[in-house]
Amino acid sequence: MSKNYTFPAGFWWGSAASGPQTEGRYDGDGKGDSLWDYWFEQEPEKFFGGVGPERTSRVYKMYKEDARLMKETGHNSFRTSIQWSRLIPDATGEVNPEAVKFYNDYFDELIANGVEPFVGLFHFDMPMALQNEGGWLNRKTVDAYARYAKIAFELFGDKVKRWFTYNEPIVPVEGGYLYDFHYPNHKNMKEAMRVMYHEIVAQALAIKEFHEGGFDGTIGVVLNLTPSYPRDPENPEDVKAAKLADALFNRSFLDPSILGTLPEELKWLWADSGTTPDMLEGDAELIANNTIDLLGINYYQPRRIKAKETPVEGDGKGGPMPEDYFDNYDWPEKKMNPYRGWEIYEKGIYDCLINVKENYGNIDCYISENGMGVEGEERYIDANGEIQDDYRIEFVRDHLKWVHQAIAEGSNCHGYHMWTCMDCWSWTNAYKNRYGFIAVDLDNDGARTVKKSGKWFHQVVADNGFEA
Ligand code: BGP
């Protein structure tokens, strides 16, 4: 028996991308370097196929066509991010007029096509001018970020009504300072916790600017939530370990963003590992008084945890690491996306929404990213040149069923954005895995072709749901 999954009226249907992964660099665009431009210049071999951030999906040139294609695939909203290093090339000085023109034109074009722009201010892309001085390690970055945020609100606040301070602020912590997958490739928990703390304070300052400036609209943050499941829910040691992982990777930003406090478990972890960051007088009050209006949830995979069993490798120098406190658990029954190496667990999206409903005052939220990266999609091109990505349709539909269930149980979830619209550049994975509703041919000036999933999505939006 099939069931009808209808979503609330006005549901935000769309997709997400980011400035650094889509815009590209062009002569005369005035953009300054971000850490991605710099890192690629230094170590191009670390990027899949040697493809760097200058060779993205060319949105800088193709935004008009893209806005039209978003309309064609049913989008009523779309999230991207402003690149700080484009708007203020040296991060703290003058605004780049070319950037102002570009973002104005881009947002206008989206709006003209019935697509509301949701705009982020930071998507892993620290301007190199600040990274050279330590980036998030340096308290100076906190104030520079708040200034940048205010400038962005002033410049684009007439057309952007939904702002996001960050995309996945835990990722610079993990990638840059714990697990060596982003520049500057450090492995140092004390530094990582300092980066985390500075991001938290900077966010509060930006929210303060937004609210005090009287800008119209809402401000939120996009967090990648990884529900932390204990190996054995009956085993207190597993449960304790999972709670610590949750505090470190989820609640570290959820709690200050929504409740205005830092989780006790996180403070305990900091104290126990000797990684408590320096705090200034007034920070706690600032964080308490400046919380978000809207939460974006990126959901890809859960985190499975067991009590500590194996000795820790640490950072090789004997310093603390999160894994001193828990082990990752390899669930034998897991279903995998083999290309990305991420577990697919649809119910996790529901667990995230119910957690927000029960523990975070049921704050307004939406699914800001969810999606499936697949390698070698050209295998699935049919005689008409269309990629038959039935696996993506299935992935999205199966997650949407759980979103629907959470809404039926009272979650204030207002939308679903897929990652992503046009195939885009995936950091060090470059173009290895494709995520889009729309294929991009890099060898043919970035030519776009709507995939089967893009057409399917159009129908879902037209019906405001589906039968399955
Ligand atoms: C999220 C990021 C995106 C995007 C996506 C897919 O974590 O917000 O920027 O890239 O994941 O992941 P990846 O590109 O690493 O495959």
Side-chain angles (χ1 to χ4, degrees):
M1 256 261 297
S2 72
K3 185 177 160 185
N4 195 347
Y5 295 87
T6 301
F7 286 80
F11 203 63
W12 304 328
W13 293 109
S15 62
S18 77
Q21 292 174 274
T22 59
E23 291 170 7
R25 282 189 94 162
Y26 294 90
D27 281 347
D29 68 2
K31 184 183 158 337
D33 279 352
S34 77
L35 62 76
W36 292 98
D37 302 302
Y38 175 81
W39 188 23
F40 178 67
E41 215 180 276
Q42 299 300 307
E43 299 186 286
E45 68 284 358
K46 289 210 167 164
F47 293 74
F48 187 83
V51 178
E54 80 295 346
R55 193 160 183 249
T56 63
S57 34
R58 306 166 57 99
V59 166
Y60 197 75
K61 297 283 184 202
M62 297 182 74
Y63 64 89
K64 287 197 175 157
E65 179 177 347
D66 287 357
R68 190 180 53 71
L69 285 168
M70 284 177 204
K71 183 178 182 182
E72 198 180 302
T73 47
H75 286 59
N76 60 27
S77 45
F78 168 71
R79 176 172 61 101
T80 185
S81 69
I82 292 174
Q83 292 196 74
W84 185 352
S85 60
R86 183 182 294 288
L87 192 64
I88 308 174
D90 70 358
T92 51
E94 297 296 308
V95 167
N96 167 18
E98 293 301 322
V100 178
K101 184 173 171 346
F102 166 64
Y103 288 119
N104 267 320
D105 290 350
Y106 186 9
F107 301 153
D108 282 342
E109 198 66 29
L110 291 171
I111 293 165
N113 281 279
V115 180
E116 180 180 350
F118 289 19
V119 175
L121 293 168
F122 189 88
H123 200 122
F124 317 160
D125 55 334
M126 179 60 70
M128 203 55 211
L130 283 171
Q131 190 62 43
N132 281 331
E133 297 181 57
W136 285 119
L137 283 176
N138 189 339
R139 179 90 189 198
K140 179 184 166 187
T141 298
V142 170
D143 296 313
Y145 171 83
R147 172 183 180 265
Y148 154 61
K150 182 168 182 234
I151 290 172
F153 303 148
E154 282 167 351
L155 285 170
F156 310 112
D158 56 334
K159 51 197 72 167
V160 176
K161 303 297 172 195
R162 281 181 239 277
W163 291 95
F164 297 92
T165 53
Y166 305 119
N167 178 78
E168 305 186 348
I170 194 73
V171 168
V173 175
E174 293 176 300
Y177 298 89
L178 284 173
Y179 305 124
D180 186 25
F181 61 90
H182 283 183
Y183 188 82
N185 310 90
H186 294 185
K187 289 176 105 182
N188 181 319
M189 186 164 164
K190 188 154 175 70
E191 285 186 355
M193 298 304 104
R194 187 174 167 86
V195 164
M196 172 187 280
Y197 184 70
H198 282 165
E199 287 186 283
I200 292 168
V201 178
Q203 163 168 289
L205 272 182
I207 293 174
K208 186 165 183 265
E209 293 289 0
F210 187 79
H211 287 146
E212 284 182 357
F215 298 100
D216 187 24
T218 57
I219 186 156
V221 64
V222 169
L223 302 180
N224 51 320
L225 298 183
T226 48
S228 212
Y229 301 118
R231 168 182 51 186
D232 175 3
E234 305 297 322
N235 174 345
E237 291 305 311
D238 283 349
V239 171
K240 189 175 161 211
K243 275 195 173 157
L244 276 180
D246 185 44
L248 184 63
F249 296 115
N250 297 315
R251 295 184 57 204
S252 50
F253 288 101
L254 263 178
D255 283 28
S257 297
I258 302 172
L259 309 175
T261 52
L262 294 167
E264 288 307 318
E265 288 88 340
L266 180 65
K267 288 198 263 184
W268 176 85
L269 193 71
W270 284 349
D272 194 71
S273 57
T275 60
T276 304
D278 293 338
M279 303 180 186
L280 298 188
E281 212 187 312
D283 283 358
E285 203 186 334
L286 178 76
I287 294 166
N289 292 335
N290 296 284
T291 54
I292 58 164
D293 312 316
L294 173 65
L295 175 69
I297 300 171
N298 291 356
Y299 174 71
Y300 288 92
Q301 58 173 342
R303 193 182 293 272
R304 300 193 184 274
I305 297 290
K306 61 183 180 184
K308 193 76 217 137
E309 278 175 357
T310 51
V312 191
E313 282 177 30
D315 63 358
K317 298 183 204 127
M321 282 294 274
E323 287 66 28
D324 292 338
Y325 296 88
F326 45 77
D327 275 348
N328 289 303
Y329 170 56
D330 194 9
W331 185 38
E333 287 162 53
K334 68 183 186 296
K335 175 167 78 174
M336 289 296 285
N337 168 357
Y339 311 103
R340 188 60 180 85
W342 286 347
E343 181 183 342
I344 299 176
Y345 182 67
E346 297 86 351
K347 179 174 176 283
I349 206 166
Y350 163 89
D351 290 337
C352 290
L353 290 169
I354 296 301
N355 178 33
V356 168
K357 172 176 173 259
E358 287 178 357
N359 300 312
Y360 295 92
N362 206 8
I363 189 172
D364 286 326
C365 66
Y366 80 112
I367 300 301
S368 40
E369 282 183 35
N370 175 229
M372 190 185 184
V374 172
E375 196 169 354
E377 286 202 305
E378 51 293 342
R379 280 174 293 166
Y380 303 108
I381 296 180
D382 72 0
N384 300 319
E386 182 182 285
I387 293 177
Q388 302 298 298
D389 53 346
D390 294 274
Y391 41 87
R392 180 165 293 111
I393 295 172
E394 189 186 331
F395 180 100
V396 173
R397 196 186 49 216
D398 290 350
H399 282 83
L400 276 171
K401 286 181 183 173
W402 281 108
V403 173
H404 187 270
Q405 179 63 30
I407 295 171
E409 291 177 28
S411 159
N412 269 327
C413 174
H414 297 292
Y416 176 91
H417 281 187
M418 222 260 305
W419 184 269
T420 184
C421 188
M422 318 294 153
D423 285 342
C424 73
W425 183 77
S426 273
W427 316 110
T428 55
N429 271 337
Y431 281 92
K432 176 179 169 292
N433 304 315
R434 306 293 180 113
Y435 282 88
F437 282 134
I438 299 172
V440 170
D441 185 351
L442 285 178
D443 298 327
N444 184 16
D445 290 334
R448 274 72 165 139
T449 315
V450 179
K451 301 178 194 176
K452 184 175 178 184
S453 60
K455 293 184 178 161
W456 172 81
F457 192 67
H458 171 90
Q459 196 54 49
V460 169
V461 184
D463 298 341
N464 202 31
F466 55 89
E467 284 218 3

